[in-house]
Amino acid sequence: MIEYFVPGFIYSVAKDIWASFRPGRHKLDQTEILKRRMKWKGEFESRVSERYQKKLRRDVIIRDVKRLDNYPDIDQNAKGISPWFRVGLVGTYHKGIQVGLDWKGLVKHGKDWRRSNYKTGETADITALLIGLIPFENIETVDWEGDEFYNYPHIYCFFCYGKEPYEHLGYYTETTPSHGLPFFTEVAPYDRVRRLSKKLGVVT
């Protein structure tokens, strides 16, 4: 679950609209999109809930449908995102799943946020999780059992957004209520944090 009326929401909506016009996008009509969302919504919500309640690992493997045969090998010299990689399935949102990539320290800079400078030993103001949002309609199928290489769920996706599976990347804080599942609130979009950090000479 995500709280929407937070900094970066308008940016996210604009980015979503722009992404819908990119060439090479996985094209579905509205009926097909609805069917996929209804197909996956309940299943992923159930799986996420089970993992939290039973304190199971959240690891999943994200696989690019169009590069199936690249698994399990990785070309270290290849440019761009890998055809498969491990992330954490941390939640769902109204359009899809939330996957956690990495925890990072952030420092407030005026109205914006930047990465903390670990080289200087700078103390972060907050620790936030970099989360990628993957729409349900871009998920082709899921192998919940995994295989002999990785016995985590394998989620087969179309990499539609600049050859990545995420319609949005952002830094989120996690809140764990006394009852119910943790939820994530966006602090800032990834691109904005990256640009400011780079401008200020902070390693990103």
Side-chain angles (χ1 to χ4, degrees), residues 149-168:
F149 298 107
Y150 295 97
N151 61 346
Y152 314 125
H154 289 221
I155 303 175
Y156 294 83
C157 303
F158 290 95
F159 286 27
C160 301
Y161 305 94
K163 298 183 179 180
E164 294 189 356
Y166 318 115
E167 69 165 351
H168 180 69

Side-chain angles (χ1 to χ4, degrees), residues 100-111:
L101 282 70
D102 197 12
W103 288 95
K104 295 295 182 184
L106 300 182
V107 173
K108 190 72 172 177
H109 187 90
K111 295 182 179 181

